[in-house]
Amino acid sequence: MPVAEPSVCRASRGRCSPADLRSQRESRAPPRPSAALIRTLCALALTGSVLGCLPGCQKAAPAPQPPQPVLAAQVVLATESHLGSYSGSVRGHLETTLAFRIAGQLRSRRAYLGQRVREGQILAELDPADVRASRAQAEAAVRASEERLALAHTTNERNLRQAKADLISQADLDQSQSNLAVAEAELAESRAQLALTDNQQHYTALVAPGNGVITSELAEVGSVLASGQGVFGFTFDGERDVVIDLPEDGIAGIVPGTRAEVTLYGHPDQVYLAHVREIAAQADAQSRTFRAKLALEHPDAGV
């Protein structure tokens, strides 16, 4: 259907120009939205589309896992009487180093680390060749001393007879009596040396001084040992001590007689009662700790 021309055109002119028609259309058209408004509307449309997509794109929540078991331990605070826990070692109350009383070569060893031995049991032996030679020398010295003593007796008796007949001077008689006394002393000395070599024959065997345990091996067969050089570490049966090293800040309140409880690694379920026997008066020069010994009150065979 043809659109009627506006009346203004008909009134002024019999015919409207194209420019007038364009201006009339623009005046009748609704106003165009601004650029900012267009951007806002686009943003709202985009947000709506994204929000609409989220429910479909979002992953499903994972199913709750079953509860896992947890190891727990009750922590008990120490009381004021608890002075601390320390590690140490169990030792015999009486310990010693066994050694030969004479020098020689170790010929045999009959005891080993950890072995329990009896009093008087032979633990090791030296080569007796040197001792036998020493005894033979001592026996020869005794025979020589006996001969010198016999000669001194004969000379002194003769000088006594000659002195009565005024055949020798008093000085010669005194000299013979002095020689007799020296010969008697030399004989006594040689006999004592012989007795010493007899004892050394027994010293070639190292015997246990009592019932106990071998705690260390300090020499091997074939070694040439000096007199007093250690061969075994030995612990007597009987009382047992626990030796610990206390730090400088841990000795406060610990005095001889302080009660303690001892647990061994080999027997974690058994608790032994003990008390402090002694504490070192001086700290160790290197570790700066104080050595303390605890006496086990009722040690059993496992200790």
Side-chain angles (χ1 to χ4, degrees), residues 47-59:
T47 303
S49 64
V50 172
L51 292 177
C53 180
L54 284 178
C57 298
Q58 188 176 5
K59 296 182 179 180

Side-chain angles (χ1 to χ4, degrees), residues 127-260:
D127 187 355
D130 294 339
V131 177
R132 291 172 182 171
S134 298
R135 191 181 190 284
Q137 182 180 6
E139 288 177 345
V142 169
R143 289 194 298 269
S145 297
E146 290 174 348
E147 292 295 333
R148 286 193 294 269
L149 179 59
L151 178 60
H153 270 295
T154 302
T155 303
N156 185 61
E157 290 176 358
R158 184 175 61 249
N159 289 341
L160 285 174
R161 292 193 300 268
Q162 290 178 353
K164 291 179 181 180
D166 294 331
L167 297 177
I168 61 173
S169 64
Q170 184 63 37
D172 293 336
L173 180 60
D174 294 341
Q175 183 64 42
S176 64
Q177 292 177 347
S178 176
N179 292 339
L180 177 60
V182 170
E184 291 175 347
E186 288 178 350
L187 179 58
E189 181 182 3
S190 60
R191 287 175 175 173
Q193 186 65 33
L194 179 59
L196 179 60
T197 56
D198 288 338
N199 291 336
Q200 288 179 349
Q201 287 187 327
H202 301 289
Y203 297 159
T204 57
L206 182 64
V207 300
N211 298 335
V213 179
I214 301 296
T215 57
S216 61
E217 300 174 351
L218 306 177
E220 297 295 334
V221 175
S223 302
V224 178
L225 306 176
S227 176
Q229 183 176 345
V231 179
F232 295 107
F234 182 77
T235 298
F236 289 87
D237 286 344
E239 298 182 65
R240 291 290 183 264
D241 290 343
V242 178
V243 181
I244 61 176
D245 293 321
L246 300 173
E248 294 187 19
D249 57 353
I251 61 174
I254 299 180
V255 296
T258 301
R259 308 291 297 177

